[in-house]
Amino acid sequence: MNLMESRSMTAAQLTREAGLTAGLISQWKKGAQKPSSKSLQKIADYFHVSVDYLLTGKEASFGQMPSEWEEDTIDEQLRDVNFALSGEVHELTLSEKKDVLNFIKFVKAQRAMKDEKEGQQNGHA
């Protein structure tokens, strides 16, 4: 199943939430541009899948990413949150860090849906 469809996301939401340039995904779909490895990695990180999965629909045969690498990746994503919380993130377990990231993504998705709904209401007013 398409990762965007499974989360009821638009291309605009994905570009905004994954930190990509606006309109980039539509350029890829049109074949006007090919995704860079950096863009593919941003999308893979956002959806918590491998780049292999994005390209082939299958995870790499070597299995799960090593726990140490996974924790480093999550720590990097939480770096600014940790700074804002005066270093409290380092005391969290890996599972708790994942929960924090998921909650942040949930809040962002809720805001995006609210903004989209308000935009539709303002357009019909």
Side-chain angles (χ1 to χ4, degrees), residues 81-115:
V81 173
N82 188 41
F83 177 76
L85 297 175
S86 302
E88 297 295 321
V89 171
H90 77 279
E91 295 178 12
L92 300 176
T93 66
L94 179 58
S95 178
E96 291 167 335
K97 290 175 184 179
K98 287 179 180 179
D99 289 343
V100 169
L101 280 175
N102 287 333
F103 180 72
I104 290 168
K105 290 174 183 176
F106 169 78
V107 169
K108 287 175 68 176
Q110 292 296 312
R111 182 182 63 214
M113 288 187 335
K114 179 183 173 196
D115 291 348

Side-chain angles (χ1 to χ4, degrees), residues 11-12 14-16 18-28 33 39 42:
L14 177 59
T15 55
R16 181 176 55 247
L20 300 168
T21 306
L24 196 55
I25 293 173
S26 67
Q27 292 295 313
W28 298 341
Q33 193 173 352
S39 295
K42 283 183 178 184

Side-chain angles (χ1 to χ4, degrees), residues 38-93:
K38 185 176 179 180
S39 295
L40 286 172
Q41 189 62 58
K42 283 183 178 184
I43 294 170
D45 290 346
Y46 178 80
F47 286 115
H48 302 290
V49 298
S50 67
V51 172
D52 284 339
Y53 182 83
L54 291 178
L55 296 173
T56 67
K58 299 176 190 171
E59 282 297 339
S61 60
F62 51 84
Q64 297 279 349
M65 66 176 143
S67 178
E68 192 175 301
W69 186 83
E70 180 180 22
E71 187 161 7
D72 288 346
T73 301
I74 290 171
D75 285 342
E76 179 65 27
Q77 292 174 8
L78 288 172
R79 184 185 63 230
D80 292 336
V81 173
N82 188 41
F83 177 76
L85 297 175
S86 302
E88 297 295 321
V89 171
H90 77 279
E91 295 178 12
L92 300 176
T93 66

